[in-house]
């Protein structure tokens, strides 16, 4: 059986994942995009991977800066995630008018109020099909309040994640 691109995309829409705003800042400027393809690789050294379309506007900026911040979006930041997903079609620098930003140790923009933010140095980029797989070692972590609710992407839409309950 041959798996078509559309079949794969439809099935992947049923795989819920955290919503993240991926940012970079440095000599090449600031860039960012919304992604759900993020996961941990190892805790020694602490390393994440991020998948991004190699045609994304932020791709050359990220490559040139060699840094990335994974901002795990809180449910209340859905509108900011939509801006970085390109829904508003605003220029890259204007995206940063959405949300409040601090600067991480690497110089990357860190989203204030995010559930968590992982400021990282890129250690390797692998090209696979239409995407780049970015491996990044974590240099700084900022955690939000335990009361913050996360945001997931499922069924081609954003959904808030409720607080964990006992029992």
């Amino acid at each position: 059986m041959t798996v078509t691109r559309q079949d794969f995309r439809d099935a992947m829409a049923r795989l819920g994942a955290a919503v993240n705003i991926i940012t970079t800042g440095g000599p090449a400027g600031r860039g960012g995009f919304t992604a759900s393809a993020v996961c941990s690789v190892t805790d020694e050294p602490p390393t994440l991977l991020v998948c991004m379309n190699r045609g994304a506007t932020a791709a050359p900026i990220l490559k040139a800066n060699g840094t990335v911040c994974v901002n795990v979006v809180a449910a209340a930041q859905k509108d900011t995630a939509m801006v970085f997903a390109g829904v508003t079609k605003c220029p890259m620098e204007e995206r940063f008018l959405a949300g409040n930003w601090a600067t991480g140790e690497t110089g990357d923009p860190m989203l204030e109020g995010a559930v968590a933010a992982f400021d990282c140095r890129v250690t390797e980029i692998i090209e696979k099909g239409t995407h780049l797989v970015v491996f990044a070692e974590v240099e700084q972590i900022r955690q939000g309040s335990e009361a913050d609710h996360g945001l997931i992407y499922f069924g081609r839409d954003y959904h808030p994640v409720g607080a964990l309950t006992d029992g």
Side-chain angles (χ1 to χ4, degrees):
M1 178 178 172
T2 301
V3 176
T4 68
R5 181 176 186 260
Q6 192 59 52
D7 288 342
F8 180 74
R9 292 175 63 90
D10 290 346
M12 288 304 296
R14 302 184 66 115
L15 177 66
V19 176
N20 306 279
I21 297 174
I22 312 303
T23 57
T24 185
R30 293 195 302 181
F33 61 99
T34 299
S36 59
V38 173
C39 71
S40 68
V41 175
T42 180
D43 61 0
E44 189 56 43
T47 304
L48 301 175
L49 73 75
V50 176
C51 296
M52 73 181 300
N53 190 303
R54 64 169 88 181
T57 307
I61 301 169
L62 186 151
K63 284 179 169 181
N65 287 337
T67 60
V68 65
C69 186
V70 175
N71 298 280
V72 183
V73 176
Q77 297 170 318
K78 175 183 173 182
D79 290 343
T80 303
M82 292 178 73
V83 168
F84 277 84
V87 173
T88 62
K89 300 192 184 317
C90 66
M92 185 60 69
E93 192 57 37
E94 286 181 25
R95 293 180 184 188
F96 290 95
L97 297 175
N100 295 313
W101 301 91
T103 302
E105 288 181 12
T106 67
D108 292 334
M110 295 181 87
L111 181 61
E112 294 285 345
V115 174
F118 302 86
D119 195 23
C120 311
R121 291 227 179 263
V122 173
T123 57
E124 184 177 5
I125 299 176
I126 297 173
E127 295 187 9
K128 182 68 174 175
T130 59
H131 279 63
L132 303 174
V133 182
V134 178
F135 291 86
E137 288 187 13
V138 180
E139 292 198 357
Q140 177 186 8
I141 296 174
R142 181 179 294 167
Q143 295 189 50
S145 164
E146 288 189 26
D148 291 336
H149 296 237
L151 190 68
I152 64 166
Y153 192 70
F154 178 83
R156 296 184 174 95
D157 200 3
Y158 298 106
H159 305 275
V161 177
L164 298 175
T165 58
D166 292 332

